[in-house]
Amino acid sequence: MDPVTRVTGRAVPLDRSDVDTDQIIPARWMKRVERTGYAGGLFEKWRRDPGFVLNDPAYAGASILVSGPNFGCGSSREHAPWALRDYGFRAVVAPSFADIFRGNLPNSGLVPVQAAPDVVAALLAAVTADPATEITVDVAGRLVRCAAIGEAPFALDESAHHRLVHGLDEIDLTLARSDAIAAHERTRPPWMPTGRP
Amino acid sequence: MTTLADKVWDRHVIERGDADLLYIDMHLLHELTSPQAFEGLRLAGRPVRRPDLAVATADHNVPTGPDPLSLLDGLAARQLRIQQENCARHGIELHPLGSPGQGVVHVIGPELGLTQPGMTIVCGDSHTATLGAFGAVAFGIGTSQVEHVLATQTLRMPRPRTMAVTLRGTPRPGTSAKDLALAVIARIGTAGGTGALIEYRGDAIAALPMEGRMTVCNMAIESGARSGMIAPDDTTFGYLEGRERSPRGRLWERALDDWRTLRTDDAADFDREAVIDAAAIGPQASWGTNPGQTTGIDGTVPDPASFADPAERAAAERALAYMDIAPGTALRDIAVSTVFLGSCTNGRLTDLRAAAEVLRGRRVAPSVRALAVPGSTRVKRQAEEEGLDEVFRAAGFEWRSSGCSMCVGMNGDVVEPGAHSASTSNRNFESRQGPGARTHLVSPESAAASAVLGHLASAADLED
Ligand code: SF4
């Protein structure tokens, strides 16, 4: 995976709470077996409304999505980050995220930017008032910058930060610990069930 | 002094860190969220570390009409074929469409006895939380993590915070586990459990059979929690004893000795706690577009203006516009034209029995299309042995074969655009049950009563 140290770009304001994964990418798109090609499904139903913010040409080409609390609630589908990424987003700013979704974002190279509610509110106001507003997400420094707010910190857990900034493959990291895994594996109780191919 | 969740977690930590490296005892797979993971392994030339600790089935995309195999669309058929190839190549147990072990992944795991106390269990599906009912740490993961587990049999996960939700007292008669689950979410909110693993406790939980406990844990994710959990007890052991993959003989005795230690120490502290009076909970129904937008069936749809929090107010306004319901409407005045009985929340044998009991000698209203969809092929067979299929058919329900069906609206079973449904599933998100569908989450008993009356109702409404 390529390192992601910074995201700079214009942003789309999606001022709603509890944006769920069924809105981000409807389930029918999950019959596909590929990891790419989900841009058309992003917010598919909301995009049928001509007034929906993604249909506003002023926001075309934006790389940051700013939204409300509990973003990404619902299903564990990684198709949701894939759809955001395929559409062109590189970071999502929200006051809070659903746990599984927050964990999934960095695995697709996207940055979950969990900022204070007043910071998110100010960013929403700024990008709503002027779609040309630029936002910078400094991943390495865990800071979000914008003329409207100056600079504000955001939360990003240590392991996600490490992997994003260094572009590390988590499986490689873990395979390097195979001896420790094997040692633990030998303690798995004998009564625990197994599959039968 | 340690909580149940921490005890089970600690047993599986290989290396501590900001995110712990955690050993995974069982990996359940379904057709939707695994193909890209297998493809990733193939591209990297990596083997599956423990194919014997994985079990797969097909549930989300499968049609549930007569002869489901013939009804598969091209994309779904390709996805199932790829799943068969992947499982065959790596030597993973698969219960494919058409086989007696097939069913919704969270239903077949317990049936087989694959979900035991003290285990770590994962699946590329958020409702893996269901399996925490056995005193296991069970959670949903994304596809990259599915690939990670296949390659390493581990996950890197930050330790969840602990939360206790205590349900005190005896629920009123006619209140089901689903009503408890919905009432908890309405109370703590859709983000009330964020970052935490909820342990459900209290006499109302202890009194539930395993099926009801699974219903409660299933919906932990709807309150934002990583998962739900219930301490194992004699009810748990009774459910597991004699199952196909449960230990036997001396191993069973050893397992029991261990399982009995899996409970929260009396003096242990939780990071968060909520205490809820179960005696005050009656049948519930959701009115909005997230599961927290729920109230008692005797209630009315709230006025968005009554919410102090601006985000909640805006969400309620949006929800009522989508649902096309006016504030102040009595829930019983909401007409439903579709009823769905099934899903990993309420598709087990006891759920079907409870609904059939309400339907015996009654008929579905002419305006209603009602589906009964067993959560697994085994549940279907057991229900038919008891004659439940006859009760459903006689009442005017469609008796279908097992799958996720109308819970997810991607397999041919959908609610018509704009129609209101009473559904025993777990998500009332916009268009979840089909484009434009308006979902009301209810218990199996209430779903049956709503089908008969043609509007949201509880079973008590049928007794005059
Ligand atoms: S029944 Fe519904 S919630 Fe359960 S696994 Fe299937 S789609 Fe998911």
Side-chain angles (χ1 to χ4, degrees):
Chain A
M1 206 155 50
D2 296 329
V4 184
T5 52
R6 146 200 306 266
V7 177
T8 299
R10 287 175 298 110
V12 176
L14 182 62
D15 189 6
R16 302 178 187 200
S17 59
D18 296 290
V19 173
D20 64 74
T21 49
D22 278 271
Q23 309 316 314
I24 300 173
I25 183 95
R28 65 176 196 85
W29 283 80
M30 296 173 69
K31 289 185 187 173
R32 304 181 72 254
V33 296
E34 293 80 14
R35 245 181 222 264
T36 55
Y38 295 92
L42 182 71
F43 297 120
E44 187 179 40
K45 276 159 308 210
W46 288 349
R47 270 159 76 187
R48 294 210 184 109
D49 168 9
F52 183 59
V53 64
L54 278 193
N55 293 324
D56 183 341
Y59 292 104
S63 57
I64 297 170
L65 183 68
V66 188
S67 192
N70 202 25
F71 189 89
C73 59
S75 127
S76 66
R77 62 187 72 162
E78 205 158 315
H79 309 65
W82 296 338
L84 288 161
R85 178 202 60 199
D86 289 352
Y87 189 85
F89 290 113
R90 295 292 172 264
V92 182
V93 182
S96 60
F97 291 92
D99 288 328
I100 304 179
F101 181 82
R102 184 215 317 271
N104 281 342
L105 277 180
N107 291 331
S108 309
L110 275 79
V111 189
V113 180
Q114 182 172 333
D118 57 325
V119 170
V120 178
L123 290 173
L124 277 172
V127 298
T128 304
D130 179 8
T133 305
E134 278 229 331
I135 295 178
T136 292
V137 176
D138 171 354
V139 185
R142 292 188 177 94
L143 292 167
V144 54
R145 292 191 194 95
C146 167
I149 58 156
E151 186 176 277
F154 67 88
L156 179 64
D157 71 77
E158 205 51 56
S159 74
H161 180 262
H162 189 66
R163 278 185 295 125
L164 278 170
V165 170
H166 299 287
L168 298 174
D169 180 324
E170 198 169 27
I171 296 179
D172 277 342
L173 291 178
T174 303
L175 286 175
R177 310 303 306 144
S178 290
D179 290 350
I181 297 170
H184 190 281
E185 200 159 50
R186 287 191 285 274
T187 69
R188 187 178 185 269
W191 60 77
M192 278 191 189
T194 60
R196 295 177 188 164
Chain B
M1 294 300 103
T2 318
T3 62
L4 166 65
D6 281 332
K7 280 185 188 178
V8 178
W9 186 274
D10 285 338
R11 287 180 172 196
H12 294 85
V13 175
I14 300 167
E15 283 178 354
R16 267 180 216 295
D18 177 66
D20 292 341
L21 184 62
L22 204 66
Y23 193 78
I24 302 302
D25 289 316
M26 181 54 62
H27 186 188
L28 300 169
L29 295 154
H30 67 70
E31 76 280 15
L32 248 58
T33 54
S34 57
Q36 294 88 351
F38 283 108
E39 177 67 3
L41 290 183
R42 195 185 66 77
L43 291 173
R46 290 173 178 141
V48 174
R49 181 184 174 92
R50 290 294 302 265
D52 61 324
L53 299 188
V55 174
T57 190
D59 51 11
H60 283 67
N61 76 19
V62 307
T64 64
D67 192 11
L69 279 164
S70 72
L71 297 170
L72 274 177
D73 70 47
L75 275 179
R78 179 170 74 130
Q79 199 167 42
L80 294 185
R81 197 190 65 239
I82 287 174
Q83 185 191 37
Q84 297 213 354
E85 288 167 4
N86 284 329
C87 289
R89 178 176 310 129
H90 295 283
I92 292 172
E93 173 177 342
L94 170 65
H95 299 278
L97 181 57
S99 71
Q102 178 272 345
V104 178
V105 64
H106 315 304
V107 177
I108 71 158
E111 276 178 353
L112 285 168
L114 288 171
T115 57
Q116 299 173 13
M119 292 175 69
T120 44
I121 306 166
V122 297
C123 174
D125 193 286
S126 59
H127 291 101
T128 310
T130 312
L131 311 173
F134 289 84
V137 165
F139 44 79
I141 55 178
T143 295
S144 297
Q145 292 170 310
V146 170
E147 186 177 338
H148 191 279
V149 177
L150 288 171
T152 69
Q153 204 57 35
T154 68
L155 268 181
R156 287 182 190 272
M157 295 273 293
R159 174 188 294 264
R161 283 189 284 275
T162 57
M163 178 166 181
V165 171
T166 305
L167 285 147
R168 287 229 178 96
T170 308
R172 306 208 300 259
T175 304
S176 81
K178 179 64 162 293
D179 299 310
L180 300 181
L182 285 168
V184 168
I185 302 162
R187 164 76 181 277
I188 69 175
T190 51
T194 301
L197 208 161
I198 296 178
E199 182 182 340
Y200 298 96
R201 33 195 353 228
D203 30 349
I205 295 294
L208 290 174
M210 282 316 295
E211 291 83 354
R213 295 181 187 185
M214 285 190 253
T215 301
V216 170
C217 288
N218 174 276
M219 295 198 70
I221 187 77
E222 262 47 78
S223 56
R226 285 298 288 154
S227 189
M229 234 178 157
I230 293 171
D233 60 9
D234 287 340
T235 301
T236 322
F237 311 145
Y239 179 97
L240 285 171
E241 191 167 12
R243 301 254 159 201
E244 189 183 306
R245 307 294 165 86
S246 293
R248 289 173 204 288
R250 257 182 48 75
L251 269 185
W252 171 256
E253 297 302 328
R254 280 179 63 191
L256 274 186
D257 286 344
D258 179 61
W259 294 347
R260 291 192 203 281
T261 67
L262 294 174
R263 44 184 45 259
T264 294
D265 297 328
D266 288 342
D269 284 326
F270 290 89
D271 297 323
R272 266 176 270 167
E273 279 196 70
V275 178
I276 294 172
D277 177 14
I281 299 173
Q284 307 280 306
S286 70
W287 50 265
T289 54
N290 74 52
Q293 292 172 328
T294 287
T295 191
I297 200 123
D298 299 327
T300 56
V301 175
D303 187 339
S306 68
F307 291 97
D309 176 50
E312 265 186 65
R313 191 182 318 135
E317 272 164 11
R318 283 186 45 78
L320 291 188
Y322 177 84
M323 298 295 285
D324 193 26
I325 316 177
T329 305
L331 260 61
R332 284 198 180 81
D333 287 342
I334 297 172
V336 297
S337 57
T338 309
V339 170
F340 170 57
L341 172 64
S343 88
C344 59
T345 314
N346 283 130
R348 284 170 287 268
L349 188 59
T350 50
D351 300 310
L352 300 184
R353 280 186 193 141
E357 213 37 62
V358 174
L359 291 171
R360 227 176 269 277
R362 296 196 164 100
R363 285 287 303 173
V364 167
S367 54
V368 171
R369 179 189 180 206
L371 282 74
V373 186
S376 73
T377 304
R378 191 177 271 106
V379 167
K380 180 170 196 251
R381 183 176 49 75
Q382 289 169 330
E384 288 172 353
E385 282 166 10
E386 291 183 16
L388 300 184
D389 56 325
E390 287 310 318
V391 178
F392 284 113
R393 283 210 190 86
F397 266 69
E398 297 174 29
W399 177 248
R400 302 180 70 93
S401 57
S402 120
C404 293
S405 183
M406 215 179 249
C407 173
V408 67
M410 65 173 295
N411 43 49
D413 296 348
V414 288
V415 175
E416 293 298 313
H420 287 261
S421 75
S423 175
T424 65
S425 54
N426 43 52
R427 287 187 176 140
N428 51 346
F429 297 157
E430 291 180 28
S431 299
R432 166 84 178 182
Q433 295 195 285
R438 295 170 170 145
T439 303
H440 301 275
L441 303 175
V442 294
S443 72
E445 294 88 335
S446 297
S450 304
V452 170
L453 292 170
H455 59 78
L456 290 180
S458 72
D461 298 330
L462 294 170
E463 296 151 12
D464 23 50

